[in-house]
Amino acid sequence: LHPPYSSPGHSAAMSIANLRLADSITCHAWNNNCSEVAICPNNNQVQIFKRNGTQFDPEPLHILDEHDQVVSGIDWAPKTNRLLTSAHDRNAYVWRFEQNVWKPTLVILRINRAATHCKWSPNENKFAVASGAKVVSVCYFEVDNDWWVSKHIKKHKSTVLKVDWHPNNILLATASSDFKARVFSGFIKGVDERPGETPFGSRLPFGELLAEYPSNGWVHSVKWAPSGMQLAFCSHDSTVSFVDVSGGAPGQLQSVKFNGLPVVDILWLNEDALVGIGFDNNPLLFSRNGGTWSFTKRLDEAKKEAAAAGANRAAFNMFKAKVEVGAESNVTNLNTLHQNLPNCLKSMNPGASVREFSSSGLDGIVSVWKN
Amino acid sequence: MGDVEAAEEQFDHAGALRTRQEAVNRALNGGNTKQALQAALENPPLGCKDEKIKLDSLTLVTNTVSRVKDNEIQAHVDQLSSFEVDTLMKFIYKGLGEAQECGRYLKWHEVVTNKAGLGVIVRAIAERRGL
């Protein structure tokens, strides 16, 4: 653990709890009080681990074994406590916790390619599943038939990588590998009330394309700001873009170029700050000053080398490395917490201002970061 | 969206190239390589269908770059805006691809990477409208 310090206006984030829960983690999700985390350990299972403050229990509490292939998306609904999982086996399950056991209900998505990501809507009466079938399945529960029905949003030219619901439960943003971020209507008659005025108008038939934003690389992730008045997306060309729709669609687009490797997931901390993680294995902070977004700093402070080694030990190590490895240093660890791509960012206290968030990655580490 | 692409198709790349050529040659004749570099990086012919325009644009950059001493490269790169730095990296890769002044371009590559990190390389490679 590194001591936190703050520079005026922007503090570093400290990892207050982290543990390597698996060899590699595809995605994760927290329950509503962040006492349990569900992960996919890069296989067909979902495993739920208990967390107590700064400690994780190293053994899973529950193992959910229903999918046939890698579980690509997990979302845990805070109000109804239902788990949503989507996998490469083209299926999604909605899980309910009853009598101390997680019980799955299959959802027929009607897609013929892998599901890539899934998200409950804010009111938890719908969910969206992104897929490699170039389609987003928006699902709602039909009480008469006692099952989940899916409707398709098409219009994508390639895999849809991520989806994100607007706070109004109707608008849906999508990130796609066809180099575009888009906003659609996910309005379902009978489930949603008429939306009233939104930045994208008030006539929002299901599946209508409301806005499209271009990029030079795959759009890896897209997220609405807590107010729903801004949209951010990150692309594979080492940019994070911000759209301000408070004045109406399509809005003002600002693209922030930064020095590092591309970012694959983002999270809004508040209306003026956003965190991204990606191939630099380091949470990056972007902030808005006077209406302009820019890259601010890396949040994971570089660990200092094991400074305790005295001069003799350092010389010994150097010659040892030269003999054994042919180079002067045999340190193979990265000097960030994450040793491999962190690809999933989740908020741990959703609201207008996020103070704690978590990351999980291909190195199998889940980390809680305190801002 | 469609409008941006349409506007780009109508952009007069040949005319912009002529303007650049005049500006660069004027600057180089006066020995002002910094100004020549900025002029050469203006209005890069991204996505232009005419390969000759792109090669001629590269020639302008190569001519400028070949007149800059090694220990002056840093000063030349420092005066560029972030958009110009991105454009420069795209020209560097094009120059390396056309085998023009490779030794020079590799030195410039190192200086630009030190300044703008791996992100500038990612953006040069990810540029969908080819240079």
Side-chain angles (χ1 to χ4, degrees):
Chain A
L1 298 180
H2 339 234
Y5 72 89
S6 24
S7 50
H10 308 290
S11 52
M14 186 173 84
S15 174
I16 59 170
N18 56 74
L19 192 62
R20 188 156 188 243
L21 296 176
D23 278 345
S24 192
I25 295 178
T26 318
C27 54
H28 75 283
W30 295 95
N31 64 349
N32 53 9
N33 61 6
C34 296
S35 59
E36 289 176 19
V37 63
I39 65 159
C40 170
N42 203 34
N43 60 20
N44 68 325
Q45 294 179 344
V46 172
Q47 296 177 356
I48 298 183
F49 289 80
K50 237 177 127 43
R51 169 206 169 218
N52 223 325
T54 58
Q55 303 300 325
F56 285 96
D57 280 359
E59 290 305 314
L61 200 57
H62 300 284
I63 297 187
L64 281 54
D65 198 325
E66 201 74 22
H67 281 291
D68 296 321
Q69 284 172 276
V70 166
V71 179
S72 53
I74 307 176
D75 198 23
W76 204 326
K79 294 177 233 175
T80 54
N81 200 42
R82 287 179 299 191
L83 260 176
L84 170 66
T85 60
S86 63
H88 288 179
D89 61 9
R90 300 168 276 126
N91 286 331
Y93 286 94
V94 173
W95 305 75
R96 289 201 307 263
F97 194 55
E98 285 165 2
Q99 285 119 29
N100 213 34
V101 165
W102 283 99
K103 302 212 168 89
T105 304
L106 175 66
V107 178
I108 310 289
L109 299 172
R110 299 182 294 116
I111 54 178
N112 58 8
R113 291 293 186 279
T116 53
H117 183 61
C118 59
K119 210 83 192 288
W120 285 106
S121 73
N123 296 347
E124 296 169 28
N125 51 7
K126 301 184 293 190
F127 59 86
V129 181
S131 75
K134 306 190 262 192
V135 141
V136 175
S137 288
V138 176
C139 303
Y140 60 97
F141 196 68
E142 213 169 66
V143 183
D144 299 339
N145 292 326
D146 190 33
W147 74 342
W148 293 88
V149 175
S150 84
K151 290 182 73 154
H152 285 174
I153 296 179
K154 303 183 177 75
K155 308 232 171 83
H156 295 87
K157 303 224 171 62
S158 182
T159 300
V160 186
L161 294 169
K162 288 243 178 26
V163 285
D164 194 46
W165 289 96
H166 186 279
N168 71 5
N169 208 61
I170 290 169
L171 300 171
L172 186 68
T174 68
S176 175
S177 59
D178 68 2
F179 308 91
K180 302 248 196 295
R182 295 183 176 84
V183 178
F184 290 94
S185 164
F187 178 83
I188 306 275
K189 207 163 83 141
V191 174
D192 291 307
E193 301 289 324
R194 288 251 151 253
E197 268 309 310
T198 76
F200 298 85
S202 57
R203 210 193 139 258
L204 309 171
F206 177 83
E208 179 101 337
L209 174 63
L210 302 168
E212 199 172 76
Y213 304 99
S215 169
N216 257 336
W218 284 11
V219 181
H220 284 297
S221 183
V222 67
K223 287 273 165 67
W224 293 98
S227 68
M229 285 301 174
Q230 298 186 76
L231 185 67
F233 58 91
C234 58
S235 324
H236 204 71
D237 62 345
S238 288
T239 61
V240 177
S241 303
F242 298 87
V243 187
D244 186 341
V245 293
S246 52
Q252 315 283 328
L253 176 78
Q254 279 183 47
S255 229
V256 176
K257 302 186 286 197
F258 56 92
N259 282 5
L261 292 175
V263 154
V264 299
D265 203 5
I266 48 177
L267 181 72
W268 287 87
L269 297 180
N270 56 53
E271 291 300 311
D272 298 308
L274 177 132
V275 177
I277 33 110
F279 294 97
D280 276 336
N281 307 321
N282 199 327
L284 306 179
L285 179 67
F286 295 82
S287 48
R288 179 169 66 166
N289 265 319
T292 307
W293 285 93
S294 60
F295 168 73
T296 306
K297 69 195 308 242
R298 302 187 138 77
L299 293 180
D300 188 357
E301 300 297 315
K303 291 205 257 299
K304 312 251 182 318
E305 295 295 326
N312 285 345
R313 196 73 215 162
F316 177 87
N317 284 336
M318 183 189 79
F319 286 112
K320 182 170 195 279
K322 275 190 171 176
V323 166
E324 290 180 351
V325 181
E328 286 193 5
S329 157
N330 198 14
V331 173
T332 50
N333 284 346
L334 299 177
N335 60 1
T336 48
L337 177 79
H338 277 292
Q339 297 296 304
N340 204 330
L341 177 68
N343 64 355
C344 186
L345 271 179
K346 287 283 162 82
S347 155
M348 294 174 74
N349 64 324
S353 183
V354 170
R355 304 219 54 89
E356 266 185 21
F357 62 91
S358 61
S359 60
S360 73
L362 302 188
D363 55 358
I365 294 178
V366 174
S367 171
V368 177
W369 301 86
K370 202 169 173 68
N371 197 16
Chain B
M1 306 190 11
D3 299 331
V4 173
E5 273 105 36
E8 279 185 0
E9 288 212 0
Q10 288 162 11
F11 184 78
D12 180 14
H13 286 293
L17 172 63
R18 276 194 299 276
T19 315
R20 276 203 298 286
Q21 283 167 332
E22 280 166 33
V24 171
N25 290 333
R26 205 167 37 235
L28 287 179
N29 285 339
N32 191 342
T33 45
K34 285 197 179 125
Q35 201 178 327
L37 182 63
Q38 283 189 314
L41 295 176
E42 252 184 41
N43 291 323
L46 296 165
C48 175
K49 304 266 179 20
D50 189 345
E51 184 62 27
K52 181 156 193 323
I53 293 183
K54 293 200 251 191
L55 286 173
D56 286 343
S57 304
L58 173 65
T59 305
L60 285 180
V61 179
T62 307
N63 285 347
T64 310
V65 150
S66 58
R67 272 167 233 237
V68 175
K69 295 204 211 28
D70 286 358
N71 56 8
E72 288 168 4
I73 300 180
Q74 185 68 56
H76 280 70
V77 172
D78 282 341
Q79 54 144 15
L80 298 176
S81 73
S82 92
F83 177 75
E84 286 165 340
V85 166
D86 272 11
T87 306
L88 174 59
M89 186 51 98
K90 289 170 191 160
F91 274 112
I92 291 173
Y93 272 98
K94 185 151 184 84
L96 292 171
E98 298 288 329
Q100 288 183 14
E101 292 278 347
C102 289
R104 283 295 154 128
Y105 273 127
L106 283 175
K107 291 208 174 70
W108 280 76
H109 186 285
E110 188 184 352
V111 173
V112 175
T113 307
N114 274 339
K115 181 183 168 75
L118 296 175
V120 70
I121 297 177
V122 169
R123 279 188 291 281
I125 297 174
E127 180 56 69
R128 303 203 61 213
R129 310 156 290 168
L131 181 64

